[in-house]
């Protein structure tokens, strides 16, 4: 999707635990929910 709107060199970072210590942490773990950083350039 990022490439479709003009970004180049799109890369996806490693998974990050964004729910550690949150109220829904157990559910996030059960469904293997992680956050990901997206890196891209706009020429």
């Amino acid at each position: 999707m990022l490439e479709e709107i003009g970004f180049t060199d799109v890369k996806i970072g490693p998974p990050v635990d964004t729910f550690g210590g949150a109220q829904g942490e157990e559910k996030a773990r059960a469904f293997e929910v992680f956050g990901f950083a997206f890196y891209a350039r706009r020429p």
Side-chain angles (χ1 to χ4, degrees), residues 16-36:
V16 178
D17 179 10
T18 56
F19 288 94
Q23 186 175 2
E25 181 177 5
E26 287 182 27
K27 291 180 182 172
R29 299 258 184 272
F31 290 100
E32 299 182 9
V33 176
F34 295 97
F36 292 88

Side-chain angles (χ1 to χ4, degrees), residues 1-2 10 12 14 16 19 26 35 39 41:
M1 183 167 71
L2 291 172
V10 177
I12 302 173
V16 178
F19 288 94
E26 287 182 27
Y39 303 94
R41 264 186 339 114

